[in-house]
Amino acid sequence: MLKLATSLVWFTRAATGIAFAVLMGAVVIQVLGRSGLTSSPVWTEELTRYALLFLAAFGTGLSFRSGDLVNVDIISESLPGRWPWLLRLFGAIVTALMCAVLLVPAWKYTSIGAMQTSPALGWRMDLIHVSMLLLIVFLMLFATARAVFMILTGSDGLPENRVQELHP
């Protein structure tokens, strides 16, 4: 299970990096085009938006894992005893369940895109809409992994960055 989680982290990091590289490349082409060095291609703005969608899709699960995703823990972490652990477990389980509930609507949204194409690039929009499905799937996987590791190993369930803050 640990090897699967490590592979998931590696894959999402690589995919996030690729999406970011595409985003940067498209923006550089836009800037060069607007500065008068070359003409600005129409497709760069569209590609930038799509790269940003995939950046969010692959990066959200990693943000959940590292604790960089929005987290209000000022109250839960000040509670005594086992309460903080229980609230972190509850949060991970609820996040995973909500993502599971959203899988079918996200799949429908993705499949609707098969009937559309992007205006500038001419790509099928289901290839772009799948970013929302990926976001939900990866967030669900990372939330499930946190809950499972908390239950099976008795870990504190603190995100990576939070553990480093509390235990330098």
Side-chain angles (χ1 to χ4, degrees), residues 2-52:
L2 188 58
K3 190 172 183 172
L4 180 65
T6 304
S7 298
L8 180 64
V9 169
W10 180 88
F11 173 78
T12 52
R13 282 183 178 164
T16 301
I18 291 168
F20 192 67
V22 169
L23 175 71
M24 287 189 319
V27 169
V28 166
I29 292 170
Q30 279 179 349
V31 169
L32 291 175
R34 291 179 183 172
S35 66
L37 296 176
T38 64
S39 62
S40 184
V42 177
W43 54 266
T44 56
E45 184 180 343
E46 196 170 277
L47 183 60
T48 300
R49 278 186 268 133
Y50 300 156
L52 193 55

Side-chain angles (χ1 to χ4, degrees), residues 16 55-65 69 135 138-139 142:
T16 301
L55 183 67
F58 293 119
T60 301
L62 290 170
S63 296
F64 181 83
R65 180 176 182 265
L69 200 59
L135 186 148
F138 287 125
L139 183 58
F142 279 100

Side-chain angles (χ1 to χ4, degrees), residues 47-118:
L47 183 60
T48 300
R49 278 186 268 133
Y50 300 156
L52 193 55
L53 286 171
F54 281 95
L55 183 67
F58 293 119
T60 301
L62 290 170
S63 296
F64 181 83
R65 180 176 182 265
S66 68
D68 293 326
L69 200 59
V70 174
N71 189 16
V72 182
D73 59 1
I74 193 164
I75 296 172
S76 66
E77 296 306 317
S78 66
L79 294 174
R82 194 157 166 87
W83 280 104
W85 185 89
L86 290 169
L87 289 174
R88 284 190 295 273
L89 178 63
F90 177 75
I93 291 170
V94 168
T95 300
L97 290 175
M98 289 192 67
C99 288
V101 167
L102 290 172
L103 282 175
V104 172
W107 178 256
K108 286 182 183 177
Y109 174 71
T110 300
S111 61
I112 287 171
M115 299 178 277
Q116 304 167 339
T117 57
S118 64

